[in-house]
Amino acid sequence: MTDASLPSGHAPVMPDEVVASLRVRPGETVVDATAGRGGHASLLAAGAGSEGTVVLCDLDPENLDFAGRRVREAGGGTVLEWQGSFARAPRDLMGRELAADVVFADLGVSSTQIDTPSRGFSFLSDGPLDMRMDPTGPVSAAELVATANEAELTRIIREFGEEPLARRIAQKIGRTRSESPIQTTAQLADLVREAYGSRAASSRNHPATRTFQALRIAVNDELGALDGLLRQVDEAAKAIADGRSTWLAPGARVGFLTFHSLEDRRVKRAFAALARHGLGTVPARMPVTPTEAEISTNPRSRSAKLRVATVGDST
């Protein structure tokens, strides 16, 4: 089944594995930190049941609205929608005197964002160079490409895209924008291919793949938000150990679905630190990955890794 054939336009990755790993129980409070089109949230809400609470967070207001309607139509308990960065969720939970039993974050880009040319996330179809998950965000990819100096562009593309030709690509961007603005995804993809030169023919993926990833991460401050949430998980674990109330309930299950090494390394290290300091447990050293059957029907799941930790003592 393709994403386009689904009513939501998006196939949730590893749905069975997510449900089995997070073990939602009736009456619990579940936070889907990246609600997207509500695929995972609907499944987790079913576990929480009519007495449960489901909190949906997303930067994209259109996706958040869709997810909210989808979860409510599926039945269940209380559904709350919070538009904005998931790094703010802990503060908002405490403001409502809620403690999450389950927190889940799917860090992949929604298929509806990738497949909509006007959102400017993909080089597969030409569109405005935007990449903002929140369309009202302060800086689009076109503005970043137009204003960042070559040293900063090199850093972004090298660090966030792990692109070995980052400096060459940044220099190509600098030369091109001095003659005319870079405003579309096709323009950017073409100039990255030109920067690759003869190497483009032997590149396993499209030469622009890493550059587009890097700019998207920078535009949406994705790693900053992830670091912020992981830091707050650690702080909550310490509060639980001290017997203080916080935004996580004792025994909370926290899961992250990552799609590239920059994210996975951060989650792996944070969870290892929890276990090392006696603040949580990690049931498996290795992440859960998709089956070959899932990859064959949903190729975008190929790089996914699911890691889950239990925070504090559930007794």
Side-chain angles (χ1 to χ4, degrees), residues 150 168 170-180 182 195:
E150 287 185 19
R168 183 182 297 185
Q171 290 173 336
K172 179 68 174 177
I173 289 173
R175 290 194 297 270
T176 301
R177 72 187 182 187
S178 67
E179 299 173 1
S180 61
I182 303 167

Side-chain angles (χ1 to χ4, degrees), residues 82 88-99 246-247:
W82 297 346
R88 290 172 17 202
R91 180 196 65 192
D92 293 338
L93 284 165
M94 294 189 70
R96 285 180 173 260
E97 297 185 343
L98 290 173
T246 183
W247 67 280

Side-chain angles (χ1 to χ4, degrees), residues 3-228:
D3 288 355
S5 70
L6 297 167
S8 66
H10 178 84
V13 172
M14 289 194 284
D16 294 339
E17 292 86 344
V18 168
V19 170
S21 298
L22 293 175
R23 310 183 312 280
V24 180
R25 294 184 284 266
E28 290 193 320
T29 296
V30 176
V31 176
D32 189 329
T34 50
R37 303 295 279 183
H40 289 114
S42 296
L43 298 172
L44 298 174
S50 60
E51 299 301 316
T53 298
V54 178
V55 178
L56 305 173
C57 306
D58 207 283
L59 281 168
D60 188 322
E62 181 180 337
N63 276 354
L64 182 61
D65 179 67
F66 186 97
R69 286 185 281 111
R70 184 177 182 184
V71 173
R72 288 186 179 91
E73 288 170 3
T78 302
V79 180
L80 304 174
E81 298 173 24
W82 297 346
Q83 195 260 326
S85 171
F86 56 62
R88 290 172 17 202
R91 180 196 65 192
D92 293 338
L93 284 165
M94 294 189 70
R96 285 180 173 260
E97 297 185 343
L98 290 173
D101 300 288
V102 171
V103 177
F104 174 67
D106 174 349
L107 301 181
V109 181
S110 171
S111 296
T112 56
Q113 293 170 335
I114 295 175
D115 296 337
T116 304
S118 63
R119 299 299 301 272
F121 281 90
S122 174
F123 45 77
L124 298 177
S125 299
D126 193 20
L129 189 59
D130 194 316
M131 300 193 192
R132 289 174 293 180
M133 293 180 180
D134 177 354
T136 66
V139 179
S140 69
E143 291 167 320
L144 179 61
V145 164
T147 58
N149 61 41
E150 287 185 19
E152 179 65 4
L153 284 172
T154 299
R155 183 193 68 80
I156 289 171
I157 297 169
R158 179 180 292 135
E159 290 186 14
F160 297 162
E162 300 181 296
E163 169 59 73
L165 299 182
R167 184 177 180 185
R168 183 182 297 185
I169 292 167
Q171 290 173 336
K172 179 68 174 177
I173 289 173
R175 290 194 297 270
T176 301
R177 72 187 182 187
S178 67
E179 299 173 1
S180 61
I182 303 167
Q183 297 180 325
T184 71
T185 56
Q187 282 179 287
L188 180 61
D190 287 345
L191 73 84
V192 173
R193 183 182 288 277
E194 291 171 10
Y196 257 66
S198 60
R199 300 189 190 189
S202 59
S203 178
R204 187 176 65 176
N205 298 314
H206 190 292
T209 300
R210 292 190 179 102
T211 297
F212 270 65
Q213 171 185 298
L215 292 175
R216 190 203 77 225
I217 289 172
V219 164
N220 297 288
D221 190 26
E222 294 176 32
L223 296 180
L226 176 57
D227 288 341

Side-chain angles (χ1 to χ4, degrees), residues 268-282:
K268 179 181 178 180
R269 290 169 181 167
F271 283 1
L274 284 176
R276 187 169 61 251
H277 297 139
L279 299 172
T281 59
V282 181

